[in-house]
Amino acid sequence: MSMPSAGARGVVPGTVLRGRGIVPGIVRAEALVSPETISGWGGIDPARGTIIERRHALFGVCFTGKVLVFPGAKGSSGWSGFFQSTRLLGTAPAAMVFTTVTTKAVLGAVVTRVPTVSELDRDPVQVIRSGDIVEVDADAGTVTIVG
C-alpha cells in the first residue's frame, strides 16, 4: 500500500487541522482561501456571492458553495448582515474557516448558518490552498484536506 504523496507545498491529503467548532455541521467542498481579511459591508456583493472590495486579492471571485478560508472579518458590525443576506439569497459559502475569532466573524457565521471552525492548531490560510477539497466537521472541530 503506497502512502499519498505531498504536493508542492508539502501538505498530504488527509492532513487534519484541529480547532473549535463555532457553528455545527459537516460539509465537503472546494476551498477558497483569502490571504487577507474580508469586509462585509462594501466588501462583498451578497446577490452574486462575490468579493467586490477593489484592493482585495480575491476581487471579483465568487465564494458561493465554497469553503471560505480567511484570516477574519474586518469593518463594521454590518459584516454579519451582509453574510446573512448571502444565505437568504442562496449565495452563501458552504462553510467558513477563519483564524481570528471576533464577534463580527462569529455572528456572521451564526446567521449564515454554515459549518464553521476557528482557533485551529495551524494557520488554515497557510496550509489550505484554493482548489483543495476540504471537509469541515464543525461538530468535531476539524478541517481535513481531502485532496
Side-chain angles (χ1 to χ4, degrees), residues 25-116:
I26 302 169
V27 71
R28 182 180 287 202
E30 180 181 340
L32 175 63
V33 181
S34 171
E36 13 180 322
T37 55
I38 296 174
S39 178
W41 184 55
I44 67 165
D45 177 351
R48 295 182 312 155
T50 57
I51 296 172
I52 60 169
E53 185 179 344
R54 292 219 178 266
R55 291 189 174 105
H56 197 281
L58 298 180
F59 174 74
V61 177
C62 182
F63 53 75
T64 302
K66 297 190 176 162
V67 175
L68 187 57
V69 181
F70 60 109
K74 71 176 173 184
S76 72
S77 58
W79 200 91
S80 58
F82 277 81
F83 273 91
Q84 178 187 28
S85 294
T86 67
R87 178 181 58 84
L88 298 172
L89 295 167
T91 61
M96 292 186 194
V97 176
F98 52 84
T99 325
T100 305
V101 172
T102 63
T103 54
K104 285 185 284 261
V106 171
L107 182 56
V110 169
V111 299
T112 306
R113 298 183 188 167
V114 296
T116 304

Side-chain angles (χ1 to χ4, degrees), residues 124-145:
V125 173
Q126 297 299 316
V127 177
I128 301 168
R129 295 290 178 256
S130 290
D132 286 349
I133 302 301
V134 296
E135 181 174 278
V136 177
D137 183 343
D139 298 341
T142 61
V143 178
T144 305
I145 300 171

